[in-house]
Amino acid sequence: MISSATFHVISTELVVGSFALAGVCFLIQALQNFNLFNYQKISQSTDNTGHFALGFGLLATPFAIMSGIASSPGSGVSSPLLVNKMFLSMIATGIAVAVLYARFSLGNKVWSSKKSSITHASAGLAASGFMLITASAGGKFTRNESLLDWLSLPFDTVFLMPIWATGLVLVIGLATTTLAVISIRGQSSVQH
């Protein structure tokens, strides 16, 4: 049996690799929107690969989170770095779920206009970016160094909100998600 620390390294590499691959694919999709190059075969490949990699990264994320908490010194989430990692990974997870939901609800229509293409590619890049920042925070926690040290990110500070602000953000998030789902379902039922 392998230790939780070793399993965390394996699962983290799966998550980071998948999200990095997805990020490259969404970057290529974004560049195609600005007519830097336009090849239908590349567009289709990056669309499929990017969404598959994003989905695979999402499947591996819970294993990375749980094994990370199990292998961290102390009692679970006891460090500001770990709290920030949890927040960042949850943001990345939420955006990635939204990207996959939009892609599989609307199909290729997400790429049908320049505005929706840029929005979709930007959301995919944001999900990848947040997950890679999460991995950078992990490097800061375990080795006290990361690829993003030159940015001087405040990994040691946890930005907490009062309960009322947290509740307000939660209500706004649920309301916008509900409106987006209703809008997507309304568009797809009208066009069938």
Side-chain angles (χ1 to χ4, degrees), residues 73-102:
S75 58
V77 184
S78 58
S79 160
L81 270 168
L82 294 178
V83 172
N84 283 326
K85 278 184 65 172
M86 189 173 69
F87 285 157
L88 289 167
S89 66
M90 291 299 110
I91 291 169
T93 299
I95 296 171
V97 167
V99 167
L100 289 175
Y101 182 80

Side-chain angles (χ1 to χ4, degrees), residues 18-80:
S18 297
F19 273 86
L21 176 60
V24 169
C25 291
F26 286 114
L27 178 62
I28 291 170
Q29 288 285 357
L31 291 175
Q32 286 187 339
N33 287 311
F34 295 106
N35 296 324
L36 295 177
F37 61 92
N38 195 3
Y39 299 107
Q40 184 62 29
K41 203 170 199 175
I42 290 176
S43 180
Q44 186 177 10
S45 296
T46 54
D47 175 38
N48 293 334
T49 304
H51 289 96
F52 179 81
L54 203 61
F56 186 80
L58 278 176
L59 290 176
T61 298
F63 296 106
I65 292 171
M66 287 186 260
S67 63
I69 291 172
S71 65
S72 68
S75 58
V77 184
S78 58
S79 160

